Amino acid sequence: METKVLVPTHENIQYVANLLADGDVCGIPTETVYGLAANALSEDAVKKIFTVKGRPQDNPLIVHICSLDTLDTLAVDIPHNARKLAENFWPGPLTIILKKSDKLSATVTAGLDTVAIRYPSHPVAQQLIAAAGVPLAAPSANLSGSPSPTTATHVYSDLKGRISAIIDGGACEVGLESTVVKFDDDGVTLLRPGAITIDMLQDVVNNVTVADGVLNQIDEKETVLSPGLKHTHYSPKTKMVIVDAPLAQFASFVNAQTDQIVGALVFEGDEVHINIPSISYGNERDSTIQAKLLFSALREVDELNADIVYARMPSQKGLGLGVYNRLLRACGFEVITLTT
Ligand code: TXA
Ligand code: MG
């Protein structure tokens, strides 16, 4: 199958929307990462997503909508807190978990009685959903296990020959997948940190807690709140470890390694202090830039041809928590802390 990469003209958006309405799967831009979209109301179309991505059947998909009204057709018993968050942060990089309506098949929710819903802010995503005339189920458009795609080129390199079209909407503004939250009587639980930060959530609702799997590795067999938390993610083939240390100590540590081939994932400007091959993921003090660059950087890690790659530790404040969470997963939750 030839995979067309299309610029987002009105005709191309209509063309891809027609493919989606006819049950095809296509790569689409969003403000977070590229999505692999299909008609969320067609069981056959949704099944194709799992096949194309090689996604485990027990990992449910996010359903993308383009108006607040659609929410009430896809979900039931919507809590007050969910409405407040939707009104404040939609359209935008927030996904909310709700009790699903009968309109959605068990395939899209991987058998759960809840559904993840998001109203993206990217104009091309909104136009595609509107033109397709159906909500779109879309996981990140990478092969399962590899870093999420933040450019159309990433999607093409993972999925060429497997899908008929990708709309190229440029580099994604955020670069990390949406913030995912669920609700219960006590408040809101953060399942995946992203551009809608804990502080932003707390400005709107009370009692925001962070799910265990965000900062700690969860037992594969354990039942978890979000199935996505248990799957290994974003991993280059090369072994990676986070090193929690200021630059000078990081540099002495990596420069002293001689018994294996070592690479580094560092901040901009660090390169001059280390004598091993490295990749930068942006300014040490700028989580926004780190979020934009991290997944591209992780895609390049294997090109260092190292036995092990040591990564500098990002800040965990604001969007930094999302950056740290993705890097932790890429590193299999391995962190070395160097003390003075
Ligand atoms: O930014 C994003 O959210 C991107 C773009 C394309 O919108 N999509 C994305 O989808 O990241 P995906 O499939 O890669 O991640 C969806 C996450 C997974 O961790 C999944 O387990 C969780 O959401 N999820 C989906 N449905 C759920 C549910 N009913 N309950 C709990 N977690 C759910
Ligand atoms: Mg994903």
Side-chain angles (χ1 to χ4, degrees):
M1 178 192 304
E2 187 210 350
T3 302
K4 290 182 187 155
V5 181
L6 304 166
V7 292
T9 59
H10 180 71
E11 290 84 61
N12 286 341
I13 288 173
Q14 194 57 55
Y15 169 76
V16 170
N18 290 342
L19 290 176
L20 292 167
D22 288 344
D24 221 338
V25 288
C26 299
I28 69 163
T30 85
E31 71 277 20
T32 55
V33 299
Y34 274 73
L36 181 63
N39 178 356
L41 305 181
S42 157
E43 186 152 7
D44 285 347
V46 170
K47 278 186 181 150
K48 286 185 201 162
I49 293 178
F50 286 91
T51 314
V52 165
K53 251 192 91 115
R55 186 180 180 94
Q57 297 286 345
D58 67 349
N59 198 359
L61 305 175
I62 296 175
V63 177
H64 296 69
I65 59 176
C66 67
S67 85
L68 265 175
D69 300 341
T70 325
L71 184 60
D72 291 277
T73 68
L74 301 175
V76 295
D77 304 341
I78 301 171
H80 182 59
N81 274 344
R83 293 216 189 262
K84 272 168 69 177
L85 291 180
E87 277 158 19
N88 274 273
F89 299 117
W90 280 358
L94 177 72
T95 296
I96 61 182
I97 310 290
L98 298 167
K99 212 166 155 203
K100 85 175 192 69
S101 79
D102 297 341
K103 252 191 134 176
L104 294 165
S105 74
T107 313
V108 89
T109 64
L112 298 175
D113 60 3
T114 53
V115 58
I117 303 184
R118 173 162 121 75
Y119 178 174
S121 63
H122 198 296
V124 174
Q126 291 180 2
Q127 287 160 34
L128 280 163
I129 302 163
V134 286
L136 297 178
S140 47
N142 50 292
L143 283 175
S144 207
S146 77
S148 290
T150 54
T151 64
T153 308
H154 294 160
V155 182
Y156 187 78
S157 94
D158 275 18
L159 301 178
K160 63 175 173 297
R162 293 174 182 242
I163 55 176
S164 39
I166 302 164
I167 295 243
D168 185 350
C172 297
E173 192 188 329
V174 177
L176 296 182
E177 309 88 340
S178 59
T179 300
V180 181
V181 292
K182 73 162 200 104
F183 307 88
D184 54 41
D185 294 341
D186 301 330
V188 175
T189 307
L190 179 74
L191 300 177
R192 183 173 71 181
I196 305 299
T197 63
I198 294 179
D199 286 349
M200 290 162 77
L201 295 169
Q202 264 162 350
D203 281 344
V204 179
V205 294
N206 297 322
N207 289 342
V208 180
T209 51
V210 178
D212 207 23
V214 170
L215 294 172
N216 303 298
Q217 189 156 29
I218 289 180
D219 188 327
E220 269 284 320
K221 289 183 206 77
E222 215 176 303
T223 313
V224 286
L225 299 172
S226 180
L229 290 175
K230 77 180 175 190
H231 294 288
T232 315
H233 265 300
Y234 321 116
S235 312
K237 291 185 189 71
T238 314
K239 180 180 168 56
M240 289 184 70
V241 178
I242 296 177
V243 179
D244 183 6
L247 173 60
Q249 272 174 283
F250 178 90
S252 335
F253 173 77
V254 296
N255 290 341
Q257 310 268 331
T258 49
D259 49 355
Q260 50 188 348
I261 304 168
V262 178
L265 180 65
V266 297
F267 297 121
E268 192 181 80
D270 291 357
E271 298 90 339
V272 292
H273 300 279
I274 55 175
N275 56 22
I276 53 168
S278 66
I279 296 163
S280 153
Y281 71 110
N283 187 298
E284 182 166 4
R285 281 174 216 85
D286 189 343
S287 299
T288 306
I289 294 289
Q290 292 166 23
K292 269 196 187 111
L293 298 182
L294 180 67
F295 285 147
S296 274
L298 289 177
R299 280 179 179 259
E300 289 168 27
V301 158
D302 290 332
E303 291 162 28
L304 291 172
N305 288 318
D307 297 322
I308 187 162
V309 168
Y310 292 106
R312 292 233 28 225
M313 171 95 161
S315 152
Q316 292 177 43
K317 290 205 194 84
L319 179 55
L321 185 65
V323 174
Y324 179 59
N325 165 267
R326 304 316 190 275
L327 188 57
L328 257 183
R329 290 171 156 258
C331 296
F333 290 84
E334 263 198 70
V335 182
I336 297 173
T337 305
L338 301 179
T339 45
T340 36

